[in-house]
Structure formats: C-alpha cells, structure tokens
C-alpha cells in the first residue's frame, strides 16, 4: 500500500530494565487521524516521540511515507522538518515574538525569503485566530493562544504529518476548546495526525481510529464508536470508567 | 514599602525593632566616620594642598585620565574577546562530542584556576623566550584577562544553557534544526539573556583585574596613580580618588547593563 504515512513494525524500547514500548505494530494511512489514549505511564508520549526520533528505539523499524526513519544527520533533520510536532508545554521560543517563532525554521531551513516567510506566517496565524498577537512575546499570551501559535509554527514547515503530544493537558479548561477547534479543522483539511490526548469528546468526533495503550502495548485499535460503546478489553473498560 | 521577596513584610513590633536597629546602626556609622575624619585631620591628611591638585592640576588630571582610558580600553577589548570565546567554548561543550567536551573542560579547569596575575607573568616572561616576540604590556594584560575570563564565561554560559527548559531544545530539533543551529538560534540567545547579571559581574571583575597590569608595566589608572602620588606626596588621597572613580565606572556599567537587560527581557518575560 503506497498511501501508508507512518508504519511501525515490532517496535520496542527499554529504559534500563523497564520496557516502555512492547512490540508495537502500527500503520497510519495518509489523511488519517489517530488518537492515542491510555493511563499515564502507558508509553503514549514515548510512542509519539519515537516517530520523529526525539526518542530512539531499541528494536523494530519505523517508516515514514515508505522511507525508513534515518538515524542521524541531514536525512533525519529533513525528515523532522516534514513531521510537525506540538508539545504539551507549547515550547515556543521565549526570546522571539510569535511571528518570529513561526518564521524561524522556514527562513533558516527552507531558505524562504523574509517576505515570503512573513506572508505565510501571517496567513497561518490568521487561520488559528491570533494574527493580532503576531508581534507579542510568548509570555504575553494565554496558554490557548500559545498552543495555537505552536501549531502555526509546526504548519509553517508544510509538514505531511503532525504529532500532538498531549496538546491540551497544560491548558486551563476554558482554553481547551479553542485549541481543539484548530485541530479539528486541520483534520477536516486532510492532515495526517497522531494525537495523544485525554480529550475523549475530540476523539469521538474527529478520530478515525482510537489506540488504547497500557503498559507499553497497544491493547485496542478500533474506530471510536466501537471503542466507546463496546470496549473489547477489561483494561479499556476500566480506563474509560475512570475518565468518563 | 516595597514587598520584599526574601522576608515576610514585618508587623508592627517588627517595624519598631527595625527602626530602632537602623537608628543604632546609623549612629555607629556616623561615629566611626567622625573618628576617621578627626584622625585624618589630626595627621594633616585633610590639608587643602593634598586634595586641591585633583581639581586644579590639569597635568595631573590628564595623566590620570590617560590611565583611565588605558584601563577602559584593555577591559573593553578583553570583555568582547572573552564573551566571544566564552560563547564558542560553551557551544563546543554543549554539542555533545566527548573529545571536544574533554578538551574544553580541561581548558576551563586550568585557566579558571590560575590567578590572572600569574597569567600576566607567564605571558610577559614566556612569550619573548619561546616565540622570540616582543609583546606589549597592553597585549599581555588583554590576553591574560581573556584566558581567565573566557573560561569563567564559558561556565556561566553552560549554566545558562542547562537552566533552559528541555522543551526548547526538543522543539528546535523537532523543526529540523541541527544541534549547532539549535544552540545558535534558540539556546544561546536565551542563555545570554538569562545570564546578563552574571556577565555584568564578570565585566566589573575584568575592570578591576586590569589594575594587576602594573606588574608588567602596563600604565593603567592604578599604576599611574602610584607614580603621581610619589611625585605629589599624597598617596592616600590619590588612591581614594581613583577608588571612587572605579566605583563610579562600575556603577555606570551595572546601570547600563541593567537597562539593556531590562529592555531586552521586558517583553520576553511578560513583566
């Protein structure tokens, strides 16, 4: 199948004696939105971070768009530029304004002209609804605005996939909605997304598939309706009863 | 009264206690000051002819002024070079190459440990012997200051980089930046802002340490003051005057740097 965007085969990872990922097999098609949920410590974030090699793996293979994930050097950097990432704690560069945060990578890595990068950045900030904050510094924005800026920063590299690592977990409750709204629109536009989140409403509405992880393995991989209405395992049932 | 970060704001009894303690303390200081002035006067040290040259003797002022310029020039050159070298060393160490970290670590440990005065003597004696080169006193002072301060600034910058949230590096790598680009565009600019107070202190140390140059015949302010005092017979007064000048320069440096730091970080920290 040529339209597989992300493919993990038999991926395992250990921290010392502790196995965080157990024989993960996973394929994500182009344009799919996959939500990963599970109790804390189940390996969701680690899984997310192996896909652009912010975490290395000890066993197995990872392929992005049919190419094996490079281990180092320019090839790895090029791949990372193609895979956007959005973090729990936003991680905007605090010494740069919002617009500078969004233009930095395109200007330095894609050699975009200043005008072109600026124009594209403003367009992206407009689409996430914070164009008026372009010249402020991250600390002057609310959490929700910062996370939307971080999404714009990831989009500025025109990635083929975006990884979301608990994008709303650090937000005040009233700001969760504005970030999920942006993510929902991205999904509708056909972006391939892997989203680690506890937002089950979002999962139900937007996800094509739900992965339920526990103790480093994928316990269930199902469509949202089946997962929420009729979880197949006791572990998933117990998890859902705790968070819903 | 401004809220203090270190103490609870005092209650009524605390306030009374603080007022009484302050009063006693001020009285003590005044008494000590009066005693010093009285003794100096008794020994003829307050005589106008010992102090007036600093206002009226243009030649003396020009002589000391030349020394001041030498002090400022050597310090400023040493500061700029130390900053550049310190940042480069810190970046080299942060790249994560074992052999490079080892070499830089050894450099830092050695030159942070040698007194600047010894550096000056090594250069002054060693360079002509080993390289058959004549080296000016000015150059000796600048290089000696550079060797020590680049090592210290490298450590300051290393601490600054280590103090940044790990997410800054992750976010930069995730965008496709290399380790070097991450340091250059993301980590070092933030570390410098974070470390501005420590860097100001280091600049003040450089200015004061430049006075050690007298040992190799560098005619900066302290050396010139020593010469002038011998001629005019007023060493105590001369040293007091240049002491005041040192304090004034360093106050000005601190003020200026705080102003720059405030302007730069004001928006970034959202205060």
């Amino acid at each position: 199948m040529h339209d597989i965007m992300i493919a993990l085969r038999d991926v395992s990872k250990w921290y010392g004696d502790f196995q965080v990922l157990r024989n993960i097999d996973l394929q994500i098609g182009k344009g799919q939105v996959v939500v990963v949920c599970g109790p804390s410590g189940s390996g969701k974030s680690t899984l997310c971070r192996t896909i652009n090699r912010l975490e290395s793996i000890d066993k197995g293979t990872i392929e992005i768009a049919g190419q094996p994930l490079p281990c180092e050097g320019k090839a790895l950097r090029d791949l990372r530029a193609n895979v956007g990432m959005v973090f729990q704690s936003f991680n905007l560069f605090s010494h740069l304004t919002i617009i500078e945060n969004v233009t930095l990578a395109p200007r330095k890595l894609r050699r975009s002209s200043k005008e072109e990068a600026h124009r594209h950045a403003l367009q992206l900030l407009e689409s996430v609804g914070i164009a008026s904050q372009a010249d402020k510094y991250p600390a002057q924005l609310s959490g929700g605005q910062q996370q939307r800026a971080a999404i714009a920063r990831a989009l500025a590299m025109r990635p083929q996939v975006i990884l979301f690592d608990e994008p709303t977990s650090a937000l005040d409750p009233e700001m969760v909605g504005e970030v999920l709204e942006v993510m929902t629109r991205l999904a509708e536009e056909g972006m391939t997304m892997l989203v680690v989140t506890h937002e089950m409403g979002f999962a139900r509405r937007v996800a094509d598939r739900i992965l339920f992880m526990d103790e480093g393995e994928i316990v269930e991989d199902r469509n949202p309706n089946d997962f929420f209405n009729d979880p197949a395992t006791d572990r998933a049932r117990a998890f859902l009863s705790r968070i819903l | 009264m401004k809220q203090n970060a270190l103490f609870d704001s005092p209650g009524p009894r605390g306030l009374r206690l603080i007022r009484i303690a302050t009063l006693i303390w001020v009285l003590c200081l005044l008494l000590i000051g009066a005693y010093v002035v009285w003794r100096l006067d008794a020994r003829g040290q307050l005589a106008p002819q010992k102090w007036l040259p600093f206002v009226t003797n243009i030649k003396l002022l020009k002589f000391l002024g030349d020394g001041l310029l030498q002090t400022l020039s050597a310090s400023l050159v040493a500061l700029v070079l130390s900053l550049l070298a310190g940042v480069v060393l810190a970046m080299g160490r942060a790249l994560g190459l074992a052999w490079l970290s080892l070499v830089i670590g050894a450099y830092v440990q050695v030159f942070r440990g040698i007194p600047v005065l010894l550096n000056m003597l090594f250069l002054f004696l060693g360079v002509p012997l080993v390289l058959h080169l004549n080296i000016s006193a000015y150059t000796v002072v600048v290089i000696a200051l550079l060797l020590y301060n680049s090592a210290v600034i490298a450590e300051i910058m290393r601490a600054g980089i280590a103090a940044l949230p790990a997410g800054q590096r992750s976010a930069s790598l995730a965008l496709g930046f290399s380790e070097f680009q991450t340091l250059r565009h993301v980590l070092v600019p933030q570390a410098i802002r974070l470390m501005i107070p420590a860097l100001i202190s280091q600049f003040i140390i450089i200015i004061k340490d430049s006075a050690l140059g007298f040992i190799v015949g560098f005619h900066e302010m302290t050396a010139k003051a020593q010469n002038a005092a011998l001629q005019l017979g007023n060493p105590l007064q001369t040293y007091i005057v240049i002491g005041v000048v040192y304090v004034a320069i360093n106050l000005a440096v601190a003020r200026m740097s705080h102003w720059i730091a405030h302007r730069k970080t004001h928006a970034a920290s959202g205060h």
Side-chain angles (χ1 to χ4, degrees), chain A residues 48-206:
Chain A
C48 191
R49 292 166 67 91
T50 58
I51 292 171
N52 62 358
R53 210 172 190 279
L54 284 183
E55 301 272 0
S56 59
I57 57 174
D58 298 311
K59 194 170 143 262
T61 59
I62 300 179
E63 284 181 6
I64 312 283
Q67 301 298 313
L69 179 62
C71 292
E72 57 197 342
K74 176 105 173 64
L76 175 61
R77 298 201 294 277
D78 287 345
L79 176 126
R80 282 173 172 166
N82 252 324
V83 177
M85 187 155 199
V86 175
F87 299 85
Q88 179 175 1
S89 46
F90 330 136
N91 298 347
L92 291 172
F93 304 135
S94 68
H95 63 303
L96 300 177
T97 61
I98 298 304
I99 188 105
E100 287 167 344
N101 263 278
V102 180
T103 56
L104 183 70
R107 289 193 55 202
K108 303 294 175 192
L109 297 174
R110 297 261 201 258
R111 304 269 163 225
S112 302
S113 73
K114 194 171 178 178
E115 293 71 31
E116 162 59 20
H118 195 86
R119 202 187 49 72
H120 186 211
L122 267 183
Q123 210 178 328
L124 290 168
L125 290 176
E126 190 78 54
S127 76
V128 299
I130 51 168
S132 59
Q133 316 288 328
D135 295 318
K136 291 191 180 166
Y137 285 89
Q140 296 171 296
L141 268 57
S142 73
Q145 291 172 326
Q146 288 191 55
Q147 194 60 299
R148 285 185 280 157
I151 294 173
R153 177 175 69 178
L155 288 172
M157 295 298 278
R158 306 180 196 274
Q160 294 177 281
V161 188
I162 303 192
L163 310 170
F164 292 86
D165 186 4
E166 304 210 23
T168 58
S169 299
L171 293 174
D172 289 334
E174 77 267 27
M175 294 169 185
V176 170
E178 64 195 50
V179 171
L180 292 180
E181 199 179 302
V182 169
M183 291 166 59
T184 305
R185 217 174 47 238
L186 270 179
E188 284 164 359
E189 287 164 7
M191 179 62 78
T192 310
M193 295 163 58
L194 179 79
V195 186
V196 176
T197 186
H198 297 290
E199 292 298 328
M200 291 301 127
F202 172 82
R204 199 190 277 267
R205 271 184 292 112
V206 181

